[in-house]
C-alpha cells in the first residue's frame, strides 16, 4: 500500500498532515487529512475521532476552520478527515453542488453511473480506518462526528455499527434525508427509486429501531437557513424519544449553518468523545 505525504504543518505541538492514497473501495485516488497530537510522538497509539464534512467540502474545511487542534492536542486525540466523495476526471459528477463530487452522502451507490466509484460508506467504515491504523500511531478505538451531510453520515455509520464507534456527534445533521430535498435527490440518484433502499441510510429511521446504543450528541443552530427544509432535527428527537435512545440534542439561538457555529462548540464535542475514548 503506497501513501503519499502532501503537506505537514506543526500545530499545538502535534502535526497536521495531508496524504494521497489509492482507494480500492472507491476505485480512485483519494486525499485525507490527519492531525496527530503531541502524545503520538514516539509511536504511542492514540484514539481517533473521524470527522465527516458536508456538501462541497474536502478534507480541508474542518481542519482549517473548526479550530479543533488545540483541544485534540490537550486530550491526546487524533483527528481524521476524509474527503466527501470520490474524485477525479473519470469519476461521475453533476453540475449541481448537492450531487456527485463533493456530495457522496456516505452511501454505497447501487445505480449507474455512480456505482463505479461512490462507496463512501465502506470507505469511511473500513478502508480508511484500516489504512490509518496500519500507518500511523492510531489505535482501533474510534469515535465519529460530522456536519450537515457529514452529520448524517456520522450518525448512520454509528447507528449501524455500534461496535465500531465509542460515541457519535453531529452539527446540524441532515437528520431525516428520506424526507428532505437534499436527501431525496441524492438517494434517488445513488440508490434508485425504491425508497425501501433509502431507509438504511436515514438516521431518524435507524434511531427509532436501534437496539445497541452509541452515546450521541447533536448541536443545531436556530438561525440555520437549512433548518426547516433540509435538516429536520425534530424527526431525530421523535425517534430518540420513541426508542429511549441516549441522544442529547441541543438547540442554540442565533447560530447558523457555518463553521463559525462548529468552531464555537467543537471543544465540547471533543470533550464528549474523550469520555468514551478513555482519555
Ligand atoms: N453551496 C451551497 C451550500 C454549501 C454549504 O453550505 N456547504 C456546507 C455544508 S451543507 C451540508 O452538507 C459547508 O460545510 N460548506 C463549506 C464551508 O467551509 O463552509 C449554497 O451556497 O447554498
Amino acid at each position: 500500500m503506497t501513501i503519499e505525504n502532501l503537506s505537514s504543518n506543526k500545530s499545538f505541538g502535534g502535526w497536521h498532515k495531508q496524504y494521497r492514497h489509492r482507494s480500492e473501495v472507491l476505485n480512485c485516488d483519494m486525499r485525507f487529512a490527519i492531525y496527530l497530537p503531541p502524545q503520538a510522538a514516539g509511536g504511542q497509539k492514540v484514539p481517533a475521532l473521524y470527522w465527516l464534512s458536508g456538501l462541497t467540502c474536502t478534507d480541508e474545511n474542518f481542519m482549517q476552520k473548526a479550530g479543533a487542534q488545540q483541544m485534540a492536542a490537550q486530550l491526546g486525540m487524533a483527528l481524521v478527515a476524509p474527503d466527501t466523495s470520490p474524485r477525479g476526471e473519470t469519476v461521475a459528477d453533476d453540475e449541481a453542488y448537492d450531487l456527485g463530487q463533493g456530495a457522496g452522502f456516505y452511501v454505497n451507490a447501487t445505480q449507474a453511473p455512480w456505482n463505479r466509484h461512490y462507496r463512501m460508506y465502506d470507505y469511511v467504515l473500513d478502508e480508511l480506518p484500516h489504512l490509518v491504523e496500519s500507518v500511523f500511531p492510531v489505535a482501533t478505538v474510534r469515535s465519529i462526528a460530522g456536519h450537515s451531510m457529514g452529520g448524517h453520515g456520522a450518525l448512520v455509520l454509528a447507528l449501524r455499527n455500534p461496535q465500531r464507534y465509542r460515541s457519535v456527534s453531529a452539527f446540524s445533521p441532515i437528520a431525516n434525508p428520506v424526507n428532505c430535498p437534499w436527501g431525496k435527490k441524492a438517494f434517488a440518484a445513488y440508490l434508485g427509486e425504491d425508497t425501501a433502499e433509502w431507509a438504511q441510510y436515514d438516521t431518524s429511521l435507524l434511531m427509532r429501531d436501534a437496539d445497541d446504543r452509541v452515546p450521541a450528541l447533536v448541536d443545531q443552530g436556530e438561525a440555520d437557513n437549512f433548518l426547516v427544509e433540509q435538516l429536520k432535527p425534530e424527526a431525530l428527537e421523535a425517534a430518540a424519544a420513541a426508542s429511549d435512545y441516549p441522544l442529547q440534542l441541543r438547540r442554540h439561538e442565533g447560530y447558523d449553518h457555518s463553521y463559525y457555529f462548529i468552531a464555537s462548540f467543537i471543544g465540547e464535542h471533543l470533550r464528549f468523545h474523550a469520555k468514551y475514548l478513555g482519555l
Side-chain angles (χ1 to χ4, degrees):
M1 174 195 326
T2 55
I3 164 165
E4 180 188 356
N5 181 226
L6 301 174
S7 74
S8 297
N9 298 92
K10 193 164 186 179
S11 178
F12 295 100
W15 286 90
H16 172 269
K17 294 169 182 261
Q18 288 175 298
Y19 288 89
R20 179 163 46 225
H21 73 107
R22 180 77 195 167
S23 166
E24 301 304 328
V25 168
L26 299 174
N27 192 23
C28 64
D29 286 351
M30 288 295 284
R31 201 175 71 185
F32 71 91
I34 185 165
Y35 176 70
L36 291 166
Q39 292 84 344
Q44 183 193 323
K45 291 197 175 194
V46 293
L49 177 67
Y50 288 77
W51 173 269
L52 306 185
S53 287
L55 292 165
T56 72
C57 291
T58 67
D59 64 292
E60 293 188 330
N61 300 68
F62 173 72
M63 291 297 195
Q64 293 180 356
K65 292 183 168 183
Q69 290 86 352
Q70 184 171 17
M71 182 62 73
Q74 280 175 24
L75 294 167
M77 181 188 294
L79 305 172
V80 182
D83 204 344
T84 53
S85 75
R87 299 279 182 180
E89 285 183 8
T90 60
V91 173
D93 199 5
D94 190 276
E95 284 179 359
Y97 75 92
D98 55 1
L99 189 68
Q101 296 190 34
F105 269 84
Y106 305 100
V107 303
N108 291 335
T110 56
Q111 305 298 303
W114 310 105
N115 54 357
R116 288 192 60 216
H117 298 278
Y118 284 72
R119 299 185 63 81
M120 287 299 289
Y121 180 88
D122 282 352
Y123 176 70
V124 174
L125 180 67
D126 288 321
E127 188 178 33
L128 182 62
H130 291 157
L131 171 70
V132 164
E133 290 154 15
S134 65
V135 171
F136 302 100
V138 169
T140 57
V141 181
R142 312 175 195 106
S143 289
I144 191 162
H147 171 227
S148 195
M149 176 183 74
H152 136 77
L155 287 160
V156 165
L157 279 151
L159 285 162
R160 287 178 56 178
N161 304 279
Q163 74 289 359
R164 303 284 278 275
Y165 300 103
R166 296 280 181 92
S167 49
V168 59
S169 75
F171 290 87
S172 335
I174 304 172
N176 191 199
V178 303
N179 278 325
C180 78
W182 274 341
K184 287 181 182 177
K185 177 179 177 178
F187 286 7
Y190 296 145
L191 306 173
E193 296 296 338
D194 179 3
T195 55
E197 294 295 316
W198 301 6
Q200 61 186 314
Y201 296 111
D202 187 284
T203 294
S204 295
L205 297 176
L206 291 167
M207 191 172 278
R208 196 171 279 276
D209 289 338
D211 291 326
D212 298 331
R213 279 111 200 283
V214 180
L217 170 65
V218 171
D219 277 326
Q220 176 62 58
E222 296 277 24
D224 187 325
N225 54 332
F226 297 119
L227 176 58
V228 175
E229 189 184 18
Q230 303 283 12
L231 305 180
K232 304 190 184 296
E234 65 281 359
L236 197 56
E237 283 172 320
S243 64
D244 198 22
Y245 197 92
L247 167 71
Q248 188 185 1
L249 194 151
R250 312 185 300 188
R251 292 171 184 265
H252 301 276
E253 187 187 341
Y255 287 93
D256 63 18
H257 199 67
S258 71
Y259 268 86
Y260 292 106
F261 173 45
I262 297 170
S264 302
F265 296 98
I266 192 66
E268 292 181 30
H269 281 235
L270 264 59
R271 282 201 297 271
F272 168 78
H273 291 295
K275 275 189 302 190
Y276 300 102
L277 289 168
L279 293 170

